[in-house]
Amino acid sequence: MSSVLERPAHAGFVVEWRDGFRIGVAQVDAEHRHLFTLVKSLSMANVQDTLGELLDYVVTHFTNEQELMEASGFPDFRQHLALHEAFSAQVAEFLSSGSEWNEDRIQELRKFLNKWLVGHILTHDLRFGRWYMEQGRHAQAHPVTAARPKTGWFDRLLGRA
Ligand SMILES: [Fe+2]
């Protein structure tokens, strides 16, 4: 069993962004990527500023993602909103625990944020991404826009071309 003392200084828990985290919705992916960058940059030297920026960006990101879900008619929108709210409550609870900042507490926060992000993205956001792309395919297959010239095999079959 390794103790805190045996752990090399700054050998923190950091998850780097990787393409495997993409859900296929460009705006959401870009925002997720930025979240990982902010979580990674948390340190004792900048904790107050970076944490403020990070929480601000979390709110922006959740708002954007929720708007996209609601506007596109994502059927699991309500459940997803509840997951974001539960996360916000967990972060608030952690921050209000009142301990002084030190390396261990920053590591603990970073670990929590990274784990939550990875789990949430790969399960729930990815589900949205797949659904969203599926809608796009339907939209392309059944365009709402007015008639385009029809010269496909179906028209030839019916003798229209
Ligand atoms: Fe989400």
Side-chain angles (χ1 to χ4, degrees):
M1 193 172 133
S2 66
S3 75
V4 170
L5 291 174
E6 287 162 9
R7 197 173 60 196
H10 308 299
F13 178 97
V14 174
V15 177
E16 301 279 353
W17 165 266
R18 61 194 78 151
D19 281 345
F21 295 157
R22 290 172 50 138
I23 68 160
V25 182
Q27 183 191 342
V28 175
D29 287 334
E31 290 178 5
H32 284 163
R33 187 181 194 138
H34 189 57
L35 282 172
F36 277 88
T37 304
L38 287 172
V39 172
K40 185 184 174 185
S41 69
L42 275 173
S43 77
M44 267 305 279
N46 65 20
V47 63
Q48 294 301 344
D49 287 348
T50 306
L51 193 58
E53 191 182 344
L54 174 64
L55 297 180
D56 235 34
Y57 197 76
V58 165
V59 174
T60 301
H61 166 61
F62 281 178
T63 305
N64 291 343
E65 195 180 272
Q66 288 160 196
E67 275 176 11
L68 190 59
M69 286 176 176
E70 197 173 18
S72 61
F74 181 50
D76 293 339
F77 168 67
R78 288 279 149 207
Q79 293 95 308
H80 204 102
L81 190 68
L83 293 169
H84 287 174
E85 284 168 357
F87 168 79
S88 304
Q90 275 182 283
V91 172
E93 193 184 323
F94 179 89
L95 295 178
S96 66
S97 67
S99 315
E100 293 273 304
W101 285 110
N102 55 42
E103 286 294 344
D104 282 345
R105 193 157 182 256
I106 288 173
Q107 292 300 329
E108 194 187 342
L109 178 63
R110 185 186 294 130
K111 194 167 187 168
F112 165 72
L113 294 171
N114 272 328
K115 279 187 160 182
W116 188 89
L117 274 172
V118 172
H120 181 80
I121 290 170
L122 292 182
T123 308
H124 305 285
D125 291 341
L126 190 61
R127 190 174 298 154
F128 169 67
R130 286 181 178 149
W131 178 88
Y132 190 77
M133 280 191 278
E134 194 59 31
Q135 301 310 299
R137 274 195 287 275
H138 283 309
Q140 277 177 358
H142 309 286
V144 185
T145 46
R148 291 176 298 173
K150 290 178 178 175
T151 54
W153 63 267
F154 189 70
D155 294 296
R156 289 202 303 277
L157 186 73
L158 298 177
R160 291 178 188 162

